Amino acid sequence: MSRSILTIDSKALEFNIKSLSKFSKKPVIAVVKSDAYGVGVKHIAKILEGIKEVEFFAVACVEEGLELRELGIKKPILILGGVLKGEEKAIKEYSLTPVVSHPEHLKPLEGLNVPIHVKYDTGMGRLGFLEEIIDDPRVEGVLTHLSSPAEEEFSKKQIEKFKNILKHYKNVKYVHLESSAGVIYKVPYATHIRVGLAIYGEKPLSNYPVQLTQVLSLKARLISVKRLPKGYSISYSRTYKLERDALVGVIAFGYADGMMKSLSNRGKVYYKGKALDIIGNVTMDMTMVDLTGTDAKVGDWVEIVGPHQSFTDLAKMAGTIPYEIMCNLSRRIKREVL
């Protein structure tokens, strides 16, 4: 019996894809890099492959592209992180589409008849050409990356700058720049949206206009429940002392599983709908909670993410972003698809 389970609602995943596509009036490039943001690409990709609104997959590197092909994925796969010398054979053999964002990315592709997408840096300061136009008949797509979609003025400058670059590409089939947060701009000249976080029902902006439903729920078992007296110290470094007699539970889920250590003495989880304070330092395999006022017993499940809080909520308490928590989800967590 598993001590922790991440449940994936396939119907909710499909609903979110269709909702994002309907809102933007564009088909979807589904970003499934980093093991589908830690959720489990072998589960997620197979669901997405069967959704008609998903026309492309996108991953960070060639190895991730190979994994998708080995899982039986037939749809086009973008390699967002470029191509390096030695990777060209796999690009051709597995029908992967490299994103070229530096002159060095073009060198391994010399003489190789594969489609490419060209990326421009319009304000992200990361990957992308600044102004150089790639005059290559293999170019089928052009893209950029919005660095701060919540900043409307700067994002609109990026959108306009990219529009001017596109004037040099008359016959490209694919144009994409709208991320999960960026879909709010409904860029008229873009052909696709390129989304990751939002497909799981995690809203990237507080006033997000797209209707989403929660895809993921995460729970873990209690492996200890005991009464401790007032003044008793909890966990490493004794950062928490009980202010009253309390029922203390130990969840089989720690920072090795994805519970951020920054949630020590500040995070919450839920038992039968009741909020429980995380007390003491989160440890590698275990997290302590105050169960006072509950009838909890060893073996019971505690909700970490679910109806009462999302990964986004958890991230706010941890002082980070949901991506970081999700990408740190351990492989020892059982994945279960509904």
Side-chain angles (χ1 to χ4, degrees):
M1 180 64 73
S2 300
R3 295 188 173 204
S4 56
I5 297 176
L6 178 70
T7 303
I8 303 160
D9 187 332
S10 61
K11 293 296 183 185
L13 185 67
E14 183 174 6
F15 174 87
N16 292 340
I17 289 288
K18 291 181 180 296
S19 186
L20 286 159
S21 182
K22 183 179 179 181
F23 176 84
S24 64
K25 295 181 173 58
K26 301 181 183 79
V28 171
I29 298 172
V31 184
V32 293
K33 60 185 179 178
S34 187
D35 198 26
Y37 292 24
V39 177
V41 74
K42 68 180 182 181
H43 304 296
I44 296 299
K46 291 178 180 179
I47 300 169
L48 295 175
E49 177 84 346
I51 302 174
K52 66 176 182 171
E53 286 83 1
V54 175
E55 291 192 0
F56 264 85
F57 286 88
V59 294
C61 58
V62 169
E63 289 86 353
E64 290 181 338
L66 300 189
E67 184 179 7
L68 286 181
R69 289 290 184 237
E70 288 166 359
L71 288 170
I73 298 305
K74 305 297 184 187
K75 291 180 178 179
I77 300 170
L78 284 176
I79 308 299
L80 297 172
V83 56
L84 300 174
K85 186 177 180 181
E87 296 177 335
E88 58 271 20
K89 182 179 178 182
I91 290 284
K92 180 67 175 178
E93 184 177 345
Y94 290 89
S95 299
L96 305 176
T97 304
V99 172
V100 174
S101 54
H102 190 280
E104 289 296 322
H105 296 165
L106 283 165
K107 290 179 181 179
L109 300 174
E110 288 179 6
L112 213 58
N113 186 24
V114 295
I116 62 176
H117 289 215
V118 181
K119 185 169 189 176
Y120 283 89
D121 181 356
T122 57
M124 181 69 170
R126 197 173 63 174
L127 292 179
F129 294 100
L130 293 176
E131 296 178 351
E132 186 176 349
I133 304 304
I134 307 303
D135 185 13
D136 190 313
R138 297 173 298 176
V139 176
E140 69 167 20
V142 188
L143 65 148
T144 192
H145 197 113
L146 299 179
S147 67
S148 305
E151 296 183 43
E152 183 177 352
E153 184 178 351
F154 188 76
S155 295
K156 286 184 174 179
K157 286 180 180 178
Q158 282 193 266
I159 291 167
E160 186 62 27
K161 186 175 183 179
F162 189 49
K163 183 180 180 181
N164 290 330
I165 290 169
L166 282 172
K167 292 175 182 177
H168 300 280
Y169 292 93
K170 301 297 183 183
N171 300 310
V172 291
K173 189 176 180 181
Y174 307 106
V175 175
H176 45 105
L177 69 158
E178 295 159 280
S179 58
S180 289
V183 299
I184 62 173
Y185 294 103
K186 294 188 173 183
V187 180
Y189 61 77
T191 63
H192 290 66
I193 57 172
R194 194 178 66 239
V195 294
L197 186 70
I199 70 177
Y200 302 108
E202 299 286 335
K203 296 184 177 182
L205 302 169
S206 58
N207 58 342
Y208 201 56
V210 186
Q211 185 182 0
L212 300 176
T213 187
Q214 198 164 7
V215 172
L216 305 172
S217 59
L218 176 62
K219 61 183 180 180
R221 285 179 175 273
L222 287 165
I223 56 174
S224 174
V225 177
K226 63 185 179 186
R227 295 199 175 274
L228 292 175
K230 178 181 177 180
Y232 211 89
S233 56
I234 306 296
S235 195
Y236 291 120
S237 302
R238 303 176 65 226
T239 60
Y240 187 91
K241 290 184 180 179
L242 295 176
E243 296 178 352
R244 50 168 167 71
D245 293 353
L247 187 66
V248 175
V250 180
I251 308 169
F253 199 92
Y255 59 73
D257 301 289
M259 184 74 82
M260 305 296 289
K261 193 172 183 295
S262 56
L263 288 166
S264 301
N265 297 313
R266 65 192 297 189
K268 292 185 184 298
V269 293
Y270 288 82
Y271 176 76
K272 294 182 178 179
K274 176 181 171 61
L276 308 175
D277 289 331
I278 291 175
I279 56 176
N281 277 330
V282 172
T283 67
M284 184 179 290
D285 312 302
M286 292 169 258
T287 298
M288 279 58 71
V289 293
D290 187 347
L291 286 166
T292 304
T294 75
D295 59 356
K297 58 187 183 298
V298 171
D300 285 353
W301 292 102
V302 171
E303 173 197 319
I304 300 168
V305 168
H308 299 94
Q309 71 181 2
S310 64
F311 278 104
T312 301
D313 297 326
L314 205 60
K316 287 177 181 176
M317 288 185 281
T320 184
I321 54 177
Y323 301 87
E324 184 178 20
I325 297 180
M326 292 168 66
C327 287
N328 280 322
L329 293 175
S330 168
R331 65 179 183 177
R332 71 182 175 191
I333 303 168
K334 179 183 177 182
R335 270 69 170 176
E336 178 181 80
V337 179
L338 294 180

